[in-house]
Amino acid sequence: MASLECSIKPLVELNQSNGISRLLLNDPTKRNALSKGMLSCLIKALNKIKDDERQKIVVIRGAEGVFSSGADLQWMQKGLSQTHEQNLADANLFYEAFELLNNFPKPVIIWVEKYAMGGALGLLATADYVVADKDARMAFSEVKLGLVPATIAPFVINKIGNSHARALMLSAASFTAKKARQVGLVHETMASKDIPARIDELCEAFKGNGPQAMATTKQLINQMGQASLSQNKATCTSAIAEARSSAEGVEGVKAFFEKRLPEWNK
């Protein structure tokens, strides 16, 4: 199904020139939500780039001026009636995408516009350089739906630390690109009109470095904190699989689609 979606409807568009692979999250009707199809297409595109020595840099952006609204809630809604094994398979798909990006041998730059929510912040946490529109907003919104930011948690904590993760994940509060830069989730913020030129500058800077040296350096950096990421995989994927079918998860997602407050908010 995923490969068919990638062929018929390019949920992730890949454009390559001058050693730069540009990936466009392309489902604007869903605000580029991370659906099962989109994640599968993203993994397929990254694996295509991974061993291509002609490609030096990866740039990821969302279509039509929006990065991503996070996990596709219609996909999450299906999880209410799925078995634990099916929810676990979905969670593993998320984790596979984040793990692939985190260990990707080439530099990964992410361009954030308008907002990045929930699971989309896992993409930021696994990128090497993140440039955001100064007006962009972000939030770890999972707990508002009775869900758990489980598959992104190891990568986010590795990036911003336990203290910031607690404050942002437990509050589920919206925060600015400036705040994201302060905690280390974003590296630069600027006016939207200035971002394309800055992305080009970064690409040229990375291209000037030894590709194998960068791959080895990235591997070395990851090895310094990798143990917890691999050790926690089973714990994290199981946690979100259970949350999706839990009474609270079911109520939270149903309330969202029924446009009402969940029972715990009444």
Side-chain angles (χ1 to χ4, degrees), residues 173-235:
S174 173
F175 55 96
T176 63
K178 180 180 178 181
K179 174 69 174 178
R181 180 168 53 80
Q182 289 171 343
V183 302
L185 196 58
V186 165
H187 298 98
E188 290 188 57
T189 60
M190 60 189 66
S192 181
K193 64 181 180 63
D194 297 327
I195 295 181
R198 181 56 181 149
I199 295 288
D200 289 344
E201 288 176 0
L202 288 168
C203 287
E204 289 306 309
F206 283 126
K207 283 169 66 177
N209 302 332
Q212 186 55 54
M214 287 193 294
T216 302
T217 298
K218 188 167 176 177
Q219 184 181 39
L220 180 66
I221 292 168
N222 281 343
Q223 283 176 346
M224 300 299 101
Q226 197 83 30
S228 61
L229 293 180
S230 57
Q231 290 168 359
N232 288 333
K233 178 177 180 179
T235 301

Side-chain angles (χ1 to χ4, degrees), residues 74-188:
Q74 290 182 335
W75 182 24
M76 295 296 104
Q77 188 179 36
K78 289 181 181 178
L80 305 184
S81 57
Q82 290 184 167
T83 65
H84 176 75
E85 288 70 24
Q86 289 171 319
N87 282 326
L88 193 59
D90 288 348
N92 273 300
L93 186 65
F94 267 102
Y95 205 96
E96 181 183 352
F98 299 141
E99 196 168 39
L100 178 58
L101 275 170
N102 195 61
N103 298 322
F104 207 70
K106 308 172 195 294
V108 176
I109 302 170
I110 285 185
W111 174 351
V112 181
E113 297 172 275
K114 201 155 188 179
Y115 47 75
M117 300 293 178
L121 294 173
L123 300 179
L124 274 61
T126 55
D128 299 300
Y129 211 101
V130 181
V131 181
D133 181 343
K134 63 181 179 60
D135 296 320
R137 304 289 301 187
M138 303 171 198
F140 293 96
S141 49
E142 289 87 349
V143 295
K144 282 188 178 293
L145 298 174
L147 299 175
V148 180
T151 54
I152 67 173
F155 305 99
V156 172
I157 292 169
N158 197 44
K159 195 70 168 277
I160 69 175
N162 190 289
S163 178
H164 289 307
R166 285 182 182 222
L168 297 173
M169 288 180 173
L170 294 177
S171 68
S174 173
F175 55 96
T176 63
K178 180 180 178 181
K179 174 69 174 178
R181 180 168 53 80
Q182 289 171 343
V183 302
L185 196 58
V186 165
H187 298 98
E188 290 188 57

Side-chain angles (χ1 to χ4, degrees), residues 9-11 25-33 35 38 63 72:
K9 180 184 178 183
L11 293 173
L25 307 182
N26 188 35
D27 196 0
T29 58
K30 290 188 175 182
R31 297 169 296 172
N32 304 319
S35 62
M38 180 176 283
D72 179 7

